[in-house]
């Protein structure tokens, strides 16, 4: 493996649309959502380790999840786990991790990847990342992986790229917010739009150049403690500086304003597993299109449901179609799949009435 290859594995989200399995105390990346025997963060780590040396994979997460990361990834060293003292979106944490890696290896090539995505063709993923590394190694460019859309999804952001069919790597024209259905159909018809997967590749100097150009105050704020990074003084510096950083995503901070953005259309199938419905799409189904994880079931006149329980729990359902049925310890969710986007907001109402245990 190339010693200059590094990964920043993003593992700080809560995944509230996966309630009641995913909670603030135990977010979805630490669960075996797919029923494969591995949690999402474990699967992501092993996927990255196919091309990145294990010691070069840094895990970004909230302070309260540090012990969980070490428990689920027992081979990593404590210095590989970067703890955020406050939730400040993706730009500050990626900058923080990049400075740590820059100080260790100025020639580092970085891939930034969420911890909770589903990718089946892992060899294709490795080949795509390698191609991106080769593109970025000696060029001042920022790269992202785009997913070829299969339908007019309104839940993803889109990337418009230049229409140059002969070139494998495409220049990005613009990033687009989540569109309405009519706009999404138009994007797909045009043929030069990709889903934004939130996977980024660049050399460490290029990303710091972008922060210098578009987020100078944030960069300067972190550079005041650059001498403390990777030393015993780092924790105290970050505890003070990090909460003061602007709460902004990497997309808004540097990707959208930058002019040197390129995208590689991914050669693998991908799902961001953002909702129960997204998980349903990736699971095997019975003859009535029910997706079942862990449960032992007797289903009468029931179709199109996703059922997720503890191991070997017996579930009997009758006359229920296209529902989410999730049993998790002392919590039970039975909700229409078509209303799954409401689950996040339901939690706010729920938390005003009950204490989340």
């Amino acid at each position: 493996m190339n010693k200059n290859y590094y990964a920043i594995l993003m593992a700080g989200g809560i995944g509230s649309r996966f309630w009641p399995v995913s909670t603030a105390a135990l977010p979805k990346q630490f669960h075996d959502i797919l029923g494969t025997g591995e949690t999402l963060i474990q699967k992501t780590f092993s996927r990255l380790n196919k091309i990145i040396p294990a010691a070069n994979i840094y895990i970004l997460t909230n302070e309260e999840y540090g012990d969980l990361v070490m428990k689920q990834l027992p081979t990593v060293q404590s210095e590989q786990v970067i703890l955020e003292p406050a939730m400040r979106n993706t730009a500050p944490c990626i900058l923080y991790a990049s400075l740590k890696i820059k100080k260790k290896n100025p020639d580092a090539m970085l891939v930034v990847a969420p911890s909770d995505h589903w990718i089946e063709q892992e060899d294709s993923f490795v080949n795509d990342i390698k191609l991106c590394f080769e593109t970025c190694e000696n060029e001042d460019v920022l790269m992202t992986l785009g997913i070829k859309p299969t339908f007019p999804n309104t839940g993803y952001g889109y990337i418009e790229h230049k229409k140059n069919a002969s070139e494998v790597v495409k220049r990005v024209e613009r990033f687009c917010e989540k569109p309405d259905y009519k706009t999404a159909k138009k994007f797909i018809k045009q043929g030069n739009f990709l889903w934004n997967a939130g996977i980024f590749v660049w050399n460490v100097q290029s990303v710091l150049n972008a922060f210098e150009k578009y987020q100078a105050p944030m960069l300067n704020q972190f550079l005041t403690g650059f001498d403390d990074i990777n030393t015993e003084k780092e924790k105290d510096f970050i505890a003070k500086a990090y909460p003061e950083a602007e709460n902004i995503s990497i997309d808004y901070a540097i990707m959208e304003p930058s002019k040197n953005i390129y995208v590689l259309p991914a050669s693998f199938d991908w799902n961001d597993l953002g909702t129960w419905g997204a998980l349903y799409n990736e699971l095997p189904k019975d003859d009535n299109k029910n997706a079942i994880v862990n449960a032992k079931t007797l289903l009468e006149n029931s179709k199109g449901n996703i059922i997720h329980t503890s191991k070997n729990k017996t579930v009997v359902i009758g006359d229920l179609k296209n529902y989410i049925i999730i049993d998790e310890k002392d919590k039970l969710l039975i909700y229409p799949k078509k209303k799954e986007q409401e689950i996040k907001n339901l939690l706010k109402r729920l938390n005003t009435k009950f204490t989340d245990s």
Side-chain angles (χ1 to χ4, degrees), residues 259-270:
K259 307 302 180 186
N260 57 338
I261 310 294
Y262 289 82
V263 62
L264 174 67
S267 63
F268 52 83
D269 290 337
W270 167 93

Side-chain angles (χ1 to χ4, degrees), residues 282-301:
E282 305 305 336
L283 291 171
K285 317 289 193 301
D286 65 14
D287 292 341
N288 289 311
K289 297 186 178 180
N290 296 296
I292 301 162
V293 179
N294 296 329
K296 296 188 295 185
T297 59
L298 175 61
L299 307 178
E300 297 287 343
N301 192 33

Side-chain angles (χ1 to χ4, degrees), residues 35 46 68 71 184 204 253 255-256 269 275 308 317:
S46 64
L68 271 172
K71 182 178 180 180
V204 70
M255 296 300 284
E256 293 191 9
D269 290 337
T275 64
H308 191 293
I317 296 174

Side-chain angles (χ1 to χ4, degrees), residues 37-51:
E38 285 187 298
T39 64
L40 292 176
I41 192 173
Q42 289 170 336
K43 286 185 72 66
T44 304
F45 187 92
S46 64
R47 184 188 311 126
L48 291 168
N49 192 210
K50 289 177 179 289
I51 188 171

Side-chain angles (χ1 to χ4, degrees), residues 14 50 89 106 133 166 226 301 306 316:
I14 295 174
K50 289 177 179 289
N89 217 313
F133 277 154
S166 61
F226 186 69
N301 192 33
I306 177 169
V316 180

Side-chain angles (χ1 to χ4, degrees), residues 40-239:
L40 292 176
I41 192 173
Q42 289 170 336
K43 286 185 72 66
T44 304
F45 187 92
S46 64
R47 184 188 311 126
L48 291 168
N49 192 210
K50 289 177 179 289
I51 188 171
I52 312 290
N56 290 1
I57 301 175
Y58 284 72
I59 299 93
L60 268 169
T61 192
N62 193 274
E63 275 187 341
E64 62 182 293
Y65 305 139
D67 290 341
L68 271 172
V69 170
M70 296 297 292
K71 182 178 180 180
Q72 294 204 359
L73 301 174
T75 62
V76 306
Q77 303 299 310
S78 58
E79 57 265 26
Q80 291 173 248
V81 183
I82 304 176
L83 303 177
E84 306 165 73
M87 297 187 75
R88 282 296 179 271
N89 217 313
T90 52
C93 64
I94 289 173
L95 174 58
Y96 174 26
S98 298
L99 288 171
K100 284 179 67 66
I101 294 169
K102 162 78 172 179
K103 194 169 184 182
K104 185 175 182 180
N105 183 351
D107 297 320
M109 305 291 302
L110 309 181
V111 54
V112 180
S115 61
D116 53 2
H117 288 182
W118 174 90
I119 294 172
E120 186 170 347
Q121 299 96 344
E122 295 194 342
D123 289 342
S124 296
F125 170 82
V126 168
N127 290 335
D128 285 356
I129 296 300
K130 187 176 181 180
L131 177 56
C132 289
F133 277 154
E134 291 170 354
T135 303
C136 296
E137 188 169 9
N138 298 308
E139 299 289 337
D140 184 20
V141 298
L142 307 178
M143 286 201 66
T144 184
L145 289 179
I147 309 300
K148 299 170 187 175
T150 54
F151 67 99
N153 194 314
T154 59
Y156 298 147
Y158 285 70
I159 301 168
E160 181 182 5
H161 63 76
K162 190 174 180 181
K163 288 186 175 180
N164 48 351
S166 61
E167 297 181 18
V168 176
V169 175
K170 319 285 188 181
R171 178 180 283 274
V172 171
E173 298 284 351
R174 62 178 175 130
F175 289 85
C176 306
E177 297 293 331
K178 296 175 183 178
D180 57 29
Y181 184 74
K182 183 178 179 181
T183 303
K185 286 182 68 176
K186 181 181 176 182
F187 286 170
I188 291 179
K189 186 176 181 180
Q190 284 186 222
N192 62 323
F193 283 81
L194 301 165
W195 289 336
N196 186 353
I199 301 172
F200 308 104
V201 183
W202 41 57
N203 69 61
V204 70
Q205 191 55 53
S206 290
V207 71
L208 294 179
N209 289 345
F211 272 100
E212 183 177 20
K213 188 171 184 179
Y214 300 107
Q215 295 292 328
M218 184 186 298
L219 177 62
N220 292 333
Q221 184 179 14
F222 279 90
L223 286 178
T224 60
F226 186 69
D227 290 342
D228 296 337
I229 288 177
N230 296 342
T231 74
E232 294 179 354
K233 297 180 180 179
E234 177 183 326
K235 185 175 181 180
D236 289 340
F237 166 70
I238 290 299

